Amino acid sequence: MRAHDQRTAPHLTVSDTSEAIAFYTDVFDAVAIQRECLLDGHVVHAELAVGGHRLIVSEWWEAGDLSVAANRDEVLTIERTDPESVLRRAVAAGAHVEPPAGPSHQVTLRDPAGLCWSVVGPQRTG
């Protein structure tokens, strides 16, 4: 994914954008680049930078909206130098660790918004 290509940025739909932004900031060190707010300050849309990548977080209000459920089974991967520390912070912030599927040692967590993340260490070369 290229850092400045919004067409490829994951678009996450959540029930509470402010809560999701707080989680991604605290756990993944995300930085808010842009926020769209209502007059009362309620955040309904934001663009975040996580590492060298961008993601878009939007809030959906309609009950039963299939687009909200559509991204619940996708797994987003984030690379961090200390994945164990990130996992500890995620669990402390309300995420749930999911058991690995099959013989994989990959750890997946489900954030409070219900979205799945895989936290991995740096890729080793050679």
Side-chain angles (χ1 to χ4, degrees):
M1 174 183 353
R2 291 178 291 173
H4 298 291
D5 189 352
Q6 289 184 343
R7 293 171 298 159
T8 60
H11 191 143
L12 311 178
T13 52
V14 297
S15 60
D16 187 328
T17 305
S18 294
E19 187 177 288
I21 292 169
F23 178 87
Y24 302 141
T25 300
D26 292 344
V27 174
F28 300 138
D29 300 320
V31 176
I33 297 170
Q34 175 193 26
R35 293 179 193 226
E36 290 182 32
C37 301
L38 299 176
L39 292 176
D40 66 1
H42 185 84
V43 180
V44 293
H45 177 90
E47 181 180 352
L48 306 176
V50 180
H53 303 289
R54 308 247 183 190
L55 60 96
I56 297 167
V57 181
S58 294
E59 192 164 299
W60 294 91
W61 294 283
E62 296 179 28
D65 186 346
L66 294 178
S67 63
V68 175
N71 60 20
R72 296 293 183 245
D73 293 328
E74 296 177 25
V75 178
L76 299 166
T77 301
I78 185 165
E79 183 178 308
R80 287 291 179 254
T81 55
D82 186 5
E84 292 83 15
S85 173
V86 172
L87 288 172
R88 283 191 299 275
R89 288 194 327 245
V91 169
H96 300 283
V97 175
E98 301 207 337
S104 171
H105 294 288
Q106 180 174 337
V107 176
T108 302
L109 63 92
R110 191 167 296 270
D111 70 25
L115 303 170
C116 285
W117 296 83
S118 173
V119 183
V120 298
Q123 297 295 325
R124 296 188 180 171
T125 57

